[in-house]
Amino acid sequence: MAASERTVLQFSSSSSSSQSLSAKVHPLVIFNICDCYVRRPDQAERVIGTLLGSNLPDGTVDIRNSYAVPHNESVDQVALDIEYHHNMLISHQKVNPKEIIVGWYSTGLGVTGGSALIHEFYSREVTNPIHLTVDTGFTTGEGIIKAYVSNNLSLGDRQIAAQFQEIPLDLRMVEAERIGFGTLKATAVDKIPSDLEGMEASMEHLLALIDDIYKYVDDVVEGRVDADNKIGRFISDAVGSLPKMSSSAFDKLVNDSLQDHLLLLYLSSITRTQLTLAEKLNTAAQIL
């Protein structure tokens, strides 16, 4: 795809045509993009690929899967391996036939000059594709994830620019995924946290949230903050979902669950050791 004389404009606010459009991305997509970036060829500065998912009735684009597409990029042109892209799409749809192309992704902070050319290709694959950017270089100190849509700006019959507009992006995850994503966002990681360390981080995060709720309720009661009915309903639902049990029963439940978890870790360690020993004995028997 040769570069055309087209300017790329990037806006943070959404126009009326994209106000009702939003995107929801699953953590697996972000992990997959980061993994592809780590495994990229030495000469490649960024990674691009296809986003798969579905379009929900409320106008939300649900991004659930992705795969990288080989490409060559220079100052004046971008070349995609279209055959590889189509073969990967066919393979994915054999496993998940309901997943369709919803857009494409690239690593880096924001859109670039070549983004308009790649977006034009995906516009022929799907109507109004999403462009997802993941800052794997931690330009601002953390990984920034944004989603864009593109509108063509025309002067008469001539298209003069591609206008990229940011749309709302929702990254929802359970607590276990949030711990992994927090580790991924850190610029320096000594090691992957263990299960117990992950549990400790979850408890610390939960205590911090409870302290924030306490402070908000106290501020409302003292008149320092205006009451918000929406937040009040959220707090009421959270309190109502808690099981009614004594503190001793709760401690026993947690301790029993922790002991079961430690037992599983111990059994898995024994099994791994036994398999390793059996492999060494088998190798020694073949040599002798």
Side-chain angles (χ1 to χ4, degrees):
M1 292 183 293
S4 59
E5 296 181 359
R6 184 177 298 182
T7 306
V8 177
L9 305 177
Q10 178 179 339
F11 293 88
S12 297
S13 60
S14 299
S15 65
S16 58
S17 61
S18 58
Q19 283 179 352
S20 60
L21 186 63
S22 61
K24 180 173 65 175
V25 60
H26 292 243
L28 177 63
V29 177
I30 306 302
F31 296 152
N32 187 24
I33 293 173
C34 293
D35 180 68
C36 292
Y37 179 77
V38 172
R39 300 172 185 270
R40 74 191 188 281
D42 295 335
Q43 69 276 11
E45 295 183 359
R46 67 170 180 165
V47 175
I48 65 174
T50 302
L51 298 175
L52 301 175
S54 60
N55 296 309
L56 303 181
D58 60 354
T60 303
V61 179
D62 188 18
I63 305 172
R64 296 194 299 266
N65 211 335
S66 66
Y67 59 85
V69 177
H71 78 290
N72 292 319
E73 190 171 2
S74 61
V75 178
D76 57 347
Q77 68 177 17
V78 178
L80 289 176
D81 191 338
I82 299 177
E83 182 179 359
Y84 177 88
H85 157 69
H86 287 152
N87 290 337
M88 286 294 294
L89 177 62
I90 294 173
S91 300
H92 273 268
Q93 289 184 335
K94 287 181 180 178
V95 180
N96 299 305
K98 294 183 179 180
E99 290 186 354
I100 62 173
I101 298 176
V102 295
W104 66 287
Y105 72 81
S106 68
T107 57
L109 184 61
V111 298
T112 63
S115 298
L117 298 173
I118 304 173
H119 200 84
E120 184 178 352
F121 164 74
Y122 279 93
S123 296
R124 297 194 294 268
E125 299 283 305
V126 61
T127 304
N128 199 17
I130 299 291
H131 176 29
L132 185 73
T133 62
V134 180
D135 181 20
T136 53
F138 299 94
T139 306
T140 61
E142 62 178 6
I144 297 178
I145 306 170
K146 294 185 177 182
Y148 300 90
V149 294
S150 176
N151 296 318
N152 291 323
L153 300 181
S154 303
L155 181 61
D157 296 333
R158 180 185 178 186
Q159 295 182 358
I160 59 174
Q163 174 182 330
F164 281 89
Q165 296 178 332
E166 186 179 352
I167 62 173
L169 178 65
D170 184 12
L171 180 60
R172 293 184 179 180
M173 58 190 80
V174 298
E175 190 61 31
E177 294 172 330
R178 190 176 300 279
I179 294 173
F181 184 73
T183 303
L184 186 67
K185 288 177 63 177
T187 55
V189 179
D190 295 331
K191 65 182 183 66
I192 300 298
S194 64
D195 293 336
L196 293 179
E197 291 172 340
M199 183 182 297
E200 181 182 2
S202 298
M203 293 299 101
E204 292 177 352
H205 181 64
L206 178 60
L207 289 175
L209 293 177
I210 294 176
D211 290 339
D212 291 340
I213 293 175
Y214 269 125
K215 183 177 182 305
Y216 171 78
V217 173
D218 289 340
D219 289 341
V220 172
V221 173
E222 297 296 333
R224 292 188 293 267
V225 176
D226 294 334
D228 189 328
N229 293 333
K230 185 177 180 181
I231 297 178
R233 284 192 294 270
F234 281 142
I235 296 176
S236 177
D237 292 341
V239 174
S241 64
L242 296 176
K244 295 182 179 180
M245 62 175 61
S246 62
S247 58
S248 59
F250 180 76
D251 290 340
K252 184 178 184 303
L253 179 64
V254 172
N255 290 330
D256 291 344
S257 176
L258 180 59
Q259 290 176 4
D260 292 342
H261 182 69
L262 293 176
L263 179 60
L264 287 175
L265 291 178
Y266 178 70
L267 292 176
S268 63
S269 178
I270 292 177
T271 303
R272 185 165 53 250
T273 303
Q274 183 179 3
L275 292 175
T276 303
L277 181 60
E279 182 180 358
K280 290 184 179 297
L281 292 175
N282 185 34
T283 302
Q286 291 178 358
I287 294 176
L288 296 177

PDB file of all heavy atoms in Angstrom, residues 93-107:
ATOM      1  N   GLN A  93     -11.917 -18.394  12.737  1.00  0.00           N
ATOM      2  CA  GLN A  93     -13.364 -18.571  12.623  1.00  0.00           C
ATOM      3  C   GLN A  93     -13.776 -20.034  12.610  1.00  0.00           C
ATOM      4  O   GLN A  93     -14.941 -20.347  12.842  1.00  0.00           O
ATOM      5  CB  GLN A  93     -13.869 -17.859  11.367  1.00  0.00           C
ATOM      6  CG  GLN A  93     -13.830 -16.338  11.498  1.00  0.00           C
ATOM      7  CD  GLN A  93     -14.413 -15.626  10.307  1.00  0.00           C
ATOM      8  OE1 GLN A  93     -14.445 -16.161   9.200  1.00  0.00           O
ATOM      9  NE2 GLN A  93     -14.874 -14.403  10.523  1.00  0.00           N
ATOM     10  N   LYS A  94     -12.847 -20.950  12.362  1.00  0.00           N
ATOM     11  CA  LYS A  94     -13.156 -22.365  12.516  1.00  0.00           C
ATOM     12  C   LYS A  94     -13.366 -22.715  13.983  1.00  0.00           C
ATOM     13  O   LYS A  94     -14.155 -23.594  14.314  1.00  0.00           O
ATOM     14  CB  LYS A  94     -12.018 -23.212  11.929  1.00  0.00           C
ATOM     15  CG  LYS A  94     -11.954 -23.222  10.409  1.00  0.00           C
ATOM     16  CD  LYS A  94     -10.820 -24.112   9.910  1.00  0.00           C
ATOM     17  CE  LYS A  94     -10.771 -24.120   8.389  1.00  0.00           C
ATOM     18  NZ  LYS A  94      -9.635 -24.956   7.890  1.00  0.00           N
ATOM     19  N   VAL A  95     -12.639 -22.006  14.865  1.00  0.00           N
ATOM     20  CA  VAL A  95     -12.771 -22.250  16.300  1.00  0.00           C
ATOM     21  C   VAL A  95     -13.893 -21.406  16.894  1.00  0.00           C
ATOM     22  O   VAL A  95     -14.694 -21.882  17.695  1.00  0.00           O
ATOM     23  CB  VAL A  95     -11.437 -21.948  17.010  1.00  0.00           C
ATOM     24  CG1 VAL A  95     -11.562 -22.196  18.515  1.00  0.00           C
ATOM     25  CG2 VAL A  95     -10.310 -22.777  16.418  1.00  0.00           C
ATOM     26  N   ASN A  96     -13.946 -20.131  16.506  1.00  0.00           N
ATOM     27  CA  ASN A  96     -14.968 -19.202  17.007  1.00  0.00           C
ATOM     28  C   ASN A  96     -15.692 -18.579  15.812  1.00  0.00           C
ATOM     29  O   ASN A  96     -15.343 -17.483  15.370  1.00  0.00           O
ATOM     30  CB  ASN A  96     -14.334 -18.107  17.871  1.00  0.00           C
ATOM     31  CG  ASN A  96     -13.635 -18.656  19.088  1.00  0.00           C
ATOM     32  OD1 ASN A  96     -14.224 -19.372  19.877  1.00  0.00           O
ATOM     33  ND2 ASN A  96     -12.356 -18.322  19.245  1.00  0.00           N
ATOM     34  N   PRO A  97     -16.679 -19.285  15.259  1.00  0.00           N
ATOM     35  CA  PRO A  97     -17.333 -18.788  14.037  1.00  0.00           C
ATOM     36  C   PRO A  97     -18.086 -17.483  14.222  1.00  0.00           C
ATOM     37  O   PRO A  97     -18.365 -16.798  13.244  1.00  0.00           O
ATOM     38  CB  PRO A  97     -18.292 -19.934  13.665  1.00  0.00           C
ATOM     39  CG  PRO A  97     -18.509 -20.692  14.937  1.00  0.00           C
ATOM     40  CD  PRO A  97     -17.236 -20.570  15.703  1.00  0.00           C
ATOM     41  N   LYS A  98     -18.420 -17.115  15.456  1.00  0.00           N
ATOM     42  CA  LYS A  98     -19.178 -15.890  15.692  1.00  0.00           C
ATOM     43  C   LYS A  98     -18.285 -14.646  15.750  1.00  0.00           C
ATOM     44  O   LYS A  98     -18.795 -13.527  15.763  1.00  0.00           O
ATOM     45  CB  LYS A  98     -19.977 -16.004  16.999  1.00  0.00           C
ATOM     46  CG  LYS A  98     -21.075 -17.054  16.944  1.00  0.00           C
ATOM     47  CD  LYS A  98     -21.885 -17.073  18.231  1.00  0.00           C
ATOM     48  CE  LYS A  98     -22.994 -18.102  18.169  1.00  0.00           C
ATOM     49  NZ  LYS A  98     -23.810 -18.139  19.415  1.00  0.00           N
ATOM     50  N   GLU A  99     -16.977 -14.837  15.814  1.00  0.00           N
ATOM     51  CA  GLU A  99     -16.073 -13.699  15.870  1.00  0.00           C
ATOM     52  C   GLU A  99     -15.806 -13.164  14.468  1.00  0.00           C
ATOM     53  O   GLU A  99     -15.481 -13.923  13.558  1.00  0.00           O
ATOM     54  CB  GLU A  99     -14.755 -14.095  16.542  1.00  0.00           C
ATOM     55  CG  GLU A  99     -14.886 -14.357  18.027  1.00  0.00           C
ATOM     56  CD  GLU A  99     -13.541 -14.610  18.686  1.00  0.00           C
ATOM     57  OE1 GLU A  99     -12.533 -14.699  17.954  1.00  0.00           O
ATOM     58  OE2 GLU A  99     -13.494 -14.719  19.924  1.00  0.00           O
ATOM     59  N   ILE A 100     -15.944 -11.878  14.322  1.00  0.00           N
ATOM     60  CA  ILE A 100     -15.706 -11.210  13.042  1.00  0.00           C
ATOM     61  C   ILE A 100     -14.628 -10.139  13.229  1.00  0.00           C
ATOM     62  O   ILE A 100     -14.244  -9.811  14.357  1.00  0.00           O
ATOM     63  CB  ILE A 100     -17.001 -10.559  12.504  1.00  0.00           C
ATOM     64  CG1 ILE A 100     -17.506  -9.483  13.489  1.00  0.00           C
ATOM     65  CG2 ILE A 100     -18.073 -11.620  12.279  1.00  0.00           C
ATOM     66  CD1 ILE A 100     -18.681  -8.683  12.973  1.00  0.00           C
ATOM     67  N   ILE A 101     -14.166  -9.603  12.125  1.00  0.00           N
ATOM     68  CA  ILE A 101     -13.191  -8.509  12.194  1.00  0.00           C
ATOM     69  C   ILE A 101     -13.898  -7.249  12.688  1.00  0.00           C
ATOM     70  O   ILE A 101     -14.924  -6.851  12.151  1.00  0.00           O
ATOM     71  CB  ILE A 101     -12.551  -8.260  10.820  1.00  0.00           C
ATOM     72  CG1 ILE A 101     -11.789  -9.493  10.341  1.00  0.00           C
ATOM     73  CG2 ILE A 101     -11.614  -7.058  10.876  1.00  0.00           C
ATOM     74  CD1 ILE A 101     -11.213  -9.343   8.949  1.00  0.00           C
ATOM     75  N   VAL A 102     -13.346  -6.640  13.719  1.00  0.00           N
ATOM     76  CA  VAL A 102     -13.913  -5.394  14.243  1.00  0.00           C
ATOM     77  C   VAL A 102     -12.929  -4.231  14.133  1.00  0.00           C
ATOM     78  O   VAL A 102     -13.288  -3.097  14.437  1.00  0.00           O
ATOM     79  CB  VAL A 102     -14.358  -5.558  15.706  1.00  0.00           C
ATOM     80  CG1 VAL A 102     -15.510  -6.545  15.815  1.00  0.00           C
ATOM     81  CG2 VAL A 102     -13.192  -6.001  16.590  1.00  0.00           C
ATOM     82  N   GLY A 103     -11.702  -4.512  13.700  1.00  0.00           N
ATOM     83  CA  GLY A 103     -10.737  -3.429  13.560  1.00  0.00           C
ATOM     84  C   GLY A 103      -9.321  -3.965  13.552  1.00  0.00           C
ATOM     85  O   GLY A 103      -9.074  -5.125  13.207  1.00  0.00           O
ATOM     86  N   TRP A 104      -8.386  -3.111  13.952  1.00  0.00           N
ATOM     87  CA  TRP A 104      -6.978  -3.495  13.958  1.00  0.00           C
ATOM     88  C   TRP A 104      -6.258  -2.765  15.092  1.00  0.00           C
ATOM     89  O   TRP A 104      -6.790  -1.819  15.663  1.00  0.00           O
ATOM     90  CB  TRP A 104      -6.326  -3.177  12.610  1.00  0.00           C
ATOM     91  CG  TRP A 104      -6.237  -1.703  12.293  1.00  0.00           C
ATOM     92  CD1 TRP A 104      -7.270  -0.884  11.929  1.00  0.00           C
ATOM     93  CD2 TRP A 104      -5.070  -0.886  12.332  1.00  0.00           C
ATOM     94  NE1 TRP A 104      -6.814   0.391  11.728  1.00  0.00           N
ATOM     95  CE2 TRP A 104      -5.471   0.425  11.960  1.00  0.00           C
ATOM     96  CE3 TRP A 104      -3.729  -1.123  12.616  1.00  0.00           C
ATOM     97  CZ2 TRP A 104      -4.570   1.480  11.877  1.00  0.00           C
ATOM     98  CZ3 TRP A 104      -2.837  -0.069  12.542  1.00  0.00           C
ATOM     99  CH2 TRP A 104      -3.254   1.216  12.163  1.00  0.00           C
ATOM    100  N   TYR A 105      -5.079  -3.249  15.420  1.00  0.00           N
ATOM    101  CA  TYR A 105      -4.318  -2.635  16.506  1.00  0.00           C
ATOM    102  C   TYR A 105      -2.906  -2.317  16.046  1.00  0.00           C
ATOM    103  O   TYR A 105      -2.411  -2.840  15.037  1.00  0.00           O
ATOM    104  CB  TYR A 105      -4.276  -3.560  17.726  1.00  0.00           C
ATOM    105  CG  TYR A 105      -3.396  -4.792  17.562  1.00  0.00           C
ATOM    106  CD1 TYR A 105      -2.018  -4.729  17.733  1.00  0.00           C
ATOM    107  CD2 TYR A 105      -3.952  -6.031  17.247  1.00  0.00           C
ATOM    108  CE1 TYR A 105      -1.223  -5.845  17.577  1.00  0.00           C
ATOM    109  CE2 TYR A 105      -3.163  -7.147  17.100  1.00  0.00           C
ATOM    110  CZ  TYR A 105      -1.791  -7.043  17.271  1.00  0.00           C
ATOM    111  OH  TYR A 105      -0.999  -8.158  17.118  1.00  0.00           O
ATOM    112  N   SER A 106      -2.266  -1.457  16.793  1.00  0.00           N
ATOM    113  CA  SER A 106      -0.851  -1.159  16.589  1.00  0.00           C
ATOM    114  C   SER A 106      -0.244  -0.784  17.930  1.00  0.00           C
ATOM    115  O   SER A 106      -0.938  -0.274  18.815  1.00  0.00           O
ATOM    116  CB  SER A 106      -0.657  -0.028  15.577  1.00  0.00           C
ATOM    117  OG  SER A 106      -1.127   1.207  16.114  1.00  0.00           O
ATOM    118  N   THR A 107       1.039  -1.061  18.084  1.00  0.00           N
ATOM    119  CA  THR A 107       1.748  -0.658  19.288  1.00  0.00           C
ATOM    120  C   THR A 107       2.321   0.735  19.070  1.00  0.00           C
ATOM    121  O   THR A 107       2.691   1.114  17.964  1.00  0.00           O
ATOM    122  CB  THR A 107       2.877  -1.644  19.619  1.00  0.00           C
ATOM    123  OG1 THR A 107       3.767  -1.742  18.494  1.00  0.00           O
ATOM    124  CG2 THR A 107       2.307  -3.014  19.914  1.00  0.00           C
TER     125      THR A 107
END
